[in-house]
Amino acid sequence: MIGATLARPLQAGTAAVGEFIDEFFAERLERAARHGDDYVRLWESARDGAAGGKRIRPELVLAAHAAYAGSSTTEAVRLAAAFELLHTAFLMHDDVIDHDLVRRGAPNVAGRFALESIDRGLPADWAHEYGEASAILAGDLLISGALRVVAELEAPRAVRRAVLEIVDECVFLAAAGEHADVRHAVRHAGDAPGERDILAMIENKTASYSFSAPLQAGAMLGGASAASVARLGEIGRHLGVAFQLRDDVLGVYGSVEVTGKSALSDLREGKETLLIAYAREHPDWAQAAAGFGTPELDDAEAARLRSAIESSGARERVERLIDERCAAAVDAITGSDLPQGLHEALTLTARACVERAR
Amino acid sequence: MIGATLARPLQAGTAAVGEFIDEFFAERLERAARHGDDYVRLWESARDGAAGGKRIRPELVLAAHAAYAGSSTTEAVRLAAAFELLHTAFLMHDDVIDHDLVRRGAPNVAGRFALESIDRGLPADWAHEYGEASAILAGDLLISGALRVVAELEAPRAVRRAVLEIVDECVFLAAAGEHADVRHAVRHAGDAPGERDILAMIENKTASYSFSAPLQAGAMLGGASAASVARLGEIGRHLGVAFQLRDDVLGVYGSVEVTGKSALSDLREGKETLLIAYAREHPDWAQAAAGFGTPELDDAEAARLRSAIESSGARERVERLIDERCAAAVDAITGSDLPQGLHEALTLTARACVERAR
């Protein structure tokens, strides 16, 4: 796993990120108490939403920063935490958009407020409205909070502005990717997205804010040159695409032990991944596709879909693309003047993308 | 109207705010073009969402800033624009929470994407999903954009941090107010909010981010002392509460010429204002209340509700409260060392709150 790959040399750093995030929420919870129990519960659910992730983005920030600055600093920890807060906000708003009430196996912000309201005897539709409103507001609070943390970094003016630009740009790209993702889902009646649409969506939605932006922002804060920062953007883009494609393959072929979710859920949801876009080009797909995107899809139908994806050559094409993007990442790493430690960490990350539970 | 009261001496400033907002969107639209037509349309609808408001908040920022700094500056214009962007974001998310598709007489972000999708032949429920997702993302982009503008202000470090804190705190309070407002709406089955709940909600949702925070942030950037900034917070709180209570009265008793909306809409929506909370305490209300909160409410039922609000004494109590809050604002203005220009502008604003289309 990516997290585990990078975590080893950086545990002290990520522990500090966790402490900063704890302090961030503790301070807000204290202020929220002046505004009643429900607002305290909103902040508690936001805090819990920020817990339990793999903290990939903070690790990338810290790794990139330390590679240039020589060692980790309080400011790098703050920047790393800001990325985690932003990530949490995006998850919350994604969940509202998808009407999901569960995240990481537990009720999310919307789920908690909906359940509490139902317990208080409110009708289910009102309870859901209150839940979703709560999650929209929690996400807004974390976006504002994350930007404030970045804005308050102690760094030379030009560096602080450049880091801010990277963060705002990654919000810009993540929104573009999410908007395209929703459109794809809405369209899947007939007008399914093609390879180009899906790769653009992945670059924006995942590669930018999960890989490129954390690497670039960390390096920028650590004093990297503009050329190195641009190179890290390119490396992050390749790694992010490879990571997401691997995730998509695992979503269909992985085991619950590796992915933490059933290998039926993406198929039931009708997730328009590149795997599916490729499979659609082949006649085998049409014969097996009836159950795709239906909540009732059973194991036998899923097996038929999986074998149609295999026989169409879609799985192999996606695996080839993962190999290519990882090779491109390794080329970009090799041909760069990245500091040695970062060089190694990113090469390991690329390898993990290819191999992760293959 | 508040806008008109403050606008006269400040037209040049608000024109500059408009120009900055135009540039903000033009730059983003140019970048959005790299990500396809739908993302361009998202930014166009965000831009149009920021147009047509009364620009009260920017005016307050500029008035407070100029009173201390002597004249308006580019930085004050940027800060004023940031408040308008933030306000636009809040309106967008409020509309999602309320499932409103129209704002200022035209389709809002959600409405535009929903209508376009229906035109393309998508089912209405999918079109609405896409519309709401679009509005959530547009609001996120403007929150991030607004905070970035504030973070990039050219000001001494301590001033910039203090302004950032005011802005982040006003997001914190606006979210608390909106969360309480949604809860009140959800609860109105039996457990209606009381005077204390409603006044707290107004202080957070309206008074803070529409009055106190713009005045405080503008003054802070203009070099005001901590004592003056605190005093402006108090004045803004009183003015904001008076303004909102006046708005609530106009929502029930005003004409469409003054308010721009039908005097039936608040009653049809079942808006839990202080007017209604007071009326509920009186037996006349129960007899007239059947139509309250029903979309079918007709003129005759509305007339019965209005007369129950009158005979219960609720309207008079709210009018008295408006007078009291305006008097408190004037007292706070008079007992302060605010610069002369601001002194006058705020006194006029207080008077306008009391008198506006009474």
Side-chain angles (χ1 to χ4, degrees):
Chain A
M1 303 286 257
I2 309 296
T5 311
L6 284 170
R8 260 167 262 126
L10 288 159
Q11 281 181 348
T14 46
V17 171
E19 279 162 31
F20 179 83
I21 291 175
D22 289 346
E23 282 162 27
F24 174 93
F25 283 107
E27 191 268 340
R28 264 113 184 132
L29 275 162
E30 201 182 311
R31 279 155 58 202
R34 280 171 241 155
H35 302 280
D37 293 346
D38 288 281
Y39 202 44
V40 170
R41 276 202 286 276
L42 185 68
W43 276 101
E44 284 171 350
S45 67
R47 177 196 62 199
D48 297 348
K54 292 195 289 288
R55 304 258 156 110
I56 296 175
R57 293 156 202 82
E59 285 181 15
L60 292 172
V61 171
L62 293 176
H65 175 269
Y68 290 96
S71 67
S72 207
T73 63
T74 319
E75 300 310 295
V77 167
R78 295 171 64 89
L79 177 61
F83 269 98
E84 194 65 14
L85 294 173
L86 207 53
H87 172 55
T88 308
F90 290 159
L91 293 183
M92 285 171 182
H93 284 184
D94 277 13
D95 282 352
V96 173
I97 288 170
D98 297 338
H99 304 295
D100 284 333
L101 299 177
V102 172
R103 168 71 65 175
R104 294 170 187 154
N108 58 16
V109 178
R112 280 165 68 153
F113 278 90
L115 286 172
E116 278 177 18
S117 303
I118 288 168
D119 283 349
R120 284 193 288 127
L122 284 174
D125 55 342
W126 285 6
H128 281 98
E129 298 278 317
Y130 188 37
E132 296 202 345
S134 302
I136 290 174
L137 295 171
D140 290 353
L141 288 162
L142 296 191
I143 293 172
S144 176
L147 266 287
R148 182 175 167 196
V149 169
V150 176
E152 286 180 343
L153 291 177
E154 296 289 344
R157 181 178 164 280
V159 170
R160 194 165 37 75
R161 288 178 83 111
V163 171
L164 258 171
E165 188 180 339
I166 292 167
V167 172
D168 185 41
E169 170 78 8
C170 99
V171 175
F172 183 91
L173 293 176
E178 175 68 7
H179 197 233
D181 200 14
V182 177
R183 192 173 62 249
H184 297 165
V186 164
R187 271 186 185 162
H188 78 58
D191 183 16
E195 181 185 40
R196 205 166 143 254
D197 299 323
I198 292 174
L199 285 175
M201 189 268 288
I202 293 176
E203 289 214 355
N204 288 335
K205 192 180 162 178
T206 305
S208 164
Y209 102 87
S210 300
F211 288 84
S212 301
L215 286 171
Q216 293 185 292
M220 180 64 81
L221 186 68
S225 67
S228 298
V229 170
R231 177 60 66 108
L232 284 168
E234 187 195 342
I235 295 168
R237 221 159 26 247
H238 292 310
L239 290 178
V241 171
F243 179 82
Q244 184 59 53
L245 293 176
R246 167 62 62 226
D247 225 50
D248 291 344
V249 172
L250 288 171
V252 173
Y253 292 98
S255 64
V256 68
E257 292 79 29
V258 172
T259 62
K261 64 176 186 177
S262 154
L264 289 179
S265 58
D266 280 6
L267 294 172
R268 283 183 173 159
E269 194 190 303
K271 202 171 163 194
E272 290 290 343
T273 64
L274 193 55
L275 217 46
I276 305 300
Y278 286 158
R280 280 187 194 284
E281 298 171 7
H282 196 277
D284 283 3
W285 175 257
Q287 286 178 10
F292 181 70
T294 61
E296 305 80 21
L297 179 93
D298 62 22
D299 284 322
E301 285 173 303
R304 265 202 298 283
L305 284 172
R306 286 191 198 101
S307 102
I309 294 168
E310 295 259 3
S311 66
S312 71
R315 185 176 182 180
E316 209 188 315
R317 283 173 76 185
V318 172
E319 288 290 355
R320 211 180 310 135
L321 207 53
I322 295 173
D323 288 343
E324 281 170 23
R325 296 304 287 246
C326 286
V330 170
D331 276 356
I333 296 165
T334 310
S336 71
D337 59 353
L338 297 184
Q340 192 55 33
L342 191 56
H343 202 292
E344 275 168 27
L346 291 176
T347 309
L348 281 172
T349 303
R351 209 165 292 152
C353 285
V354 182
E355 289 167 6
R356 184 159 68 112
R358 195 179 189 166
Chain B
M1 303 286 258
I2 308 298
T5 311
L6 283 170
R8 260 167 262 125
L10 287 160
Q11 282 182 348
T14 46
V17 171
E19 278 162 33
F20 179 83
I21 291 175
D22 289 347
E23 281 162 27
F24 174 93
F25 283 107
E27 191 268 341
R28 265 114 182 131
L29 274 162
E30 201 184 310
R31 278 156 58 204
R34 280 171 241 153
H35 303 281
D37 294 345
D38 287 281
Y39 202 43
V40 170
R41 276 201 287 276
L42 186 69
W43 276 102
E44 285 171 347
S45 67
R47 176 195 63 197
D48 297 347
K54 293 194 289 286
R55 304 261 155 107
I56 296 175
R57 294 156 200 82
E59 284 181 17
L60 292 172
V61 171
L62 294 176
H65 174 269
Y68 291 96
S71 66
S72 207
T73 63
T74 320
E75 299 312 296
V77 167
R78 295 171 63 89
L79 176 60
F83 269 98
E84 193 67 15
L85 294 173
L86 207 53
H87 171 54
T88 308
F90 290 159
L91 293 183
M92 285 171 183
H93 285 184
D94 276 14
D95 282 352
V96 173
I97 288 170
D98 297 339
H99 303 294
D100 284 332
L101 300 176
V102 172
R103 168 71 66 175
R104 295 171 187 154
N108 59 16
V109 178
R112 279 165 69 155
F113 278 90
L115 285 172
E116 279 176 17
S117 303
I118 288 169
D119 282 350
R120 283 194 287 126
L122 285 174
D125 55 342
W126 284 8
H128 281 98
E129 298 278 316
Y130 187 37
E132 296 203 343
S134 302
I136 291 173
L137 295 171
D140 291 353
L141 288 162
L142 296 190
I143 293 172
S144 175
L147 266 287
R148 182 174 166 197
V149 170
V150 177
E152 286 181 343
L153 291 177
E154 296 289 345
R157 180 177 165 280
V159 171
R160 194 167 37 75
R161 288 178 83 110
V163 172
L164 257 171
E165 188 180 341
I166 292 168
V167 172
D168 185 40
E169 170 78 7
C170 98
V171 175
F172 183 90
L173 292 177
E178 175 69 7
H179 197 234
D181 200 14
V182 177
R183 192 174 60 251
H184 297 165
V186 165
R187 271 187 185 163
H188 76 58
D191 184 16
E195 181 185 41
R196 206 167 141 253
D197 298 324
I198 292 174
L199 286 174
M201 190 268 287
I202 293 176
E203 288 215 355
N204 288 335
K205 193 180 162 178
T206 305
S208 164
Y209 101 87
S210 300
F211 289 85
S212 301
L215 286 171
Q216 293 185 293
M220 180 65 81
L221 186 67
S225 68
S228 298
V229 170
R231 177 61 66 109
L232 284 168
E234 188 195 342
I235 295 168
R237 222 161 24 248
H238 292 309
L239 289 179
V241 171
F243 179 82
Q244 184 59 52
L245 292 176
R246 166 62 61 228
D247 226 50
D248 291 344
V249 172
L250 288 171
V252 173
Y253 292 98
S255 64
V256 67
E257 292 77 31
V258 173
T259 62
K261 66 176 185 176
S262 155
L264 290 179
S265 59
D266 280 6
L267 294 172
R268 281 183 173 159
E269 195 190 302
K271 203 171 162 193
E272 291 290 343
T273 64
L274 193 54
L275 217 46
I276 306 299
Y278 286 159
R280 280 188 194 285
E281 296 172 9
H282 196 277
D284 284 3
W285 175 259
Q287 287 178 8
F292 182 70
T294 60
E296 305 80 21
L297 179 93
D298 62 21
D299 285 321
E301 284 174 304
R304 265 201 300 283
L305 284 172
R306 286 192 198 101
S307 100
I309 294 169
E310 296 258 2
S311 66
S312 71
R315 185 177 182 179
E316 210 187 312
R317 282 174 75 186
V318 172
E319 288 290 353
R320 211 180 311 134
L321 206 53
I322 295 173
D323 288 343
E324 280 169 23
R325 297 303 287 247
C326 286
V330 171
D331 276 355
I333 295 165
T334 311
S336 70
D337 59 353
L338 297 184
Q340 191 55 32
L342 192 56
H343 202 292
E344 276 167 28
L346 293 176
T347 308
L348 282 170
T349 304
R351 209 163 293 151
C353 285
V354 182
E355 290 169 4
R356 187 160 65 113
R358 197 178 187 169

